Amino acid sequence: MAGHSKWKNIQRRKNAQDAKRGKIFMKLAKEIYVAAKMGGGDPSANASLRLVIEKAKAANMPNENIERAIKKATGNQEHTNYEEIKYEGYGPGGVAVMVTCLTDNKNRTASNVRVAFSKNGGNLGETGCVSYLFDRKGLLVIAREGLDIDEDDMLLQAIEAGAEEMETTDEAFEIYTAPENFEEVKNKLAESGFEFAQAEITMIPQTYTTLTGDDLTKMLKLIDTLEDDDDVQEVYHNLDESVIE
């Protein structure tokens, strides 16, 4: 994974995402709602809810928004049912793309995702056509700014906590775990005083595809179009964004 920092990709897109903060909060509220609906509104007893709340707080989502979503899910007045749907396909230049959605209208979502691909040089594929190109991993990002620890010591602490591997960039330590060990590693590092700029279970590409010119422009437009859809929660892809300024 060297040279393909997920954190750098996240930072590169941060300004664009900040402009969509209201939409991001809405998507997080939906994710909180589903987690609370399925496993209850107590984060200490609901690991999925706990992770989503931490994700929401990392995005600076107000506590009242979080609490409101939980109350809607656990109260009797809300009857909305969201279904998780995953789409797989290819972007321009053969970039692998996976899209995770939460929707109350499958036909609307399927149509929107299909149009996004077709208008931006991509095409939807069958289930499983690209998922084998990704590994499900826990990702913990610790920003290096103001942190008095070198790479060797950080790696030692991460491994002792149960992490699988670590990637170091100028900006951050990126620690990868098996999904089932994610919370344990996170808690141990938190107990040692580390704070996380990002903490999530995600999909990490096994290989990356580099694009230039028109293909790159179309691929970035495809990502933006999908992320802008209210039903889309996550967009995973193997575009190499590390070379993009």
Side-chain angles (χ1 to χ4, degrees), residues 23-31 227 229 232-233:
K23 188 177 290 288
I24 291 171
F25 288 169
M26 182 192 67
K27 293 185 179 188
L28 286 167
K30 188 188 293 185
E31 202 168 339
E227 289 181 343
D229 191 291
V232 173
Q233 295 297 116

Side-chain angles (χ1 to χ4, degrees), residues 3 29 48 86 88 135 157 166 168 172 179 183 188 200 208 210 221 229-230 232:
S48 295
K86 296 182 179 179
E88 300 181 33
D135 294 320
Q157 292 208 39
M166 185 183 82
T168 303
E183 279 216 74
K188 285 183 178 179
E200 62 180 347
Y208 288 80
T210 301
K221 180 67 184 303
D229 191 291
D230 291 345
V232 173

Side-chain angles (χ1 to χ4, degrees), residues 100-119:
T100 301
C101 303
L102 286 175
T103 181
D104 58 357
N105 186 325
K106 293 190 294 184
N107 292 335
R108 177 192 66 219
T109 306
S111 175
N112 289 348
V113 171
R114 187 177 296 109
V115 169
F117 273 86
S118 64
K119 283 191 173 181

Side-chain angles (χ1 to χ4, degrees), residues 29-40:
K30 188 188 293 185
E31 202 168 339
I32 291 168
Y33 175 93
V34 171
K37 192 84 171 176
M38 294 181 64

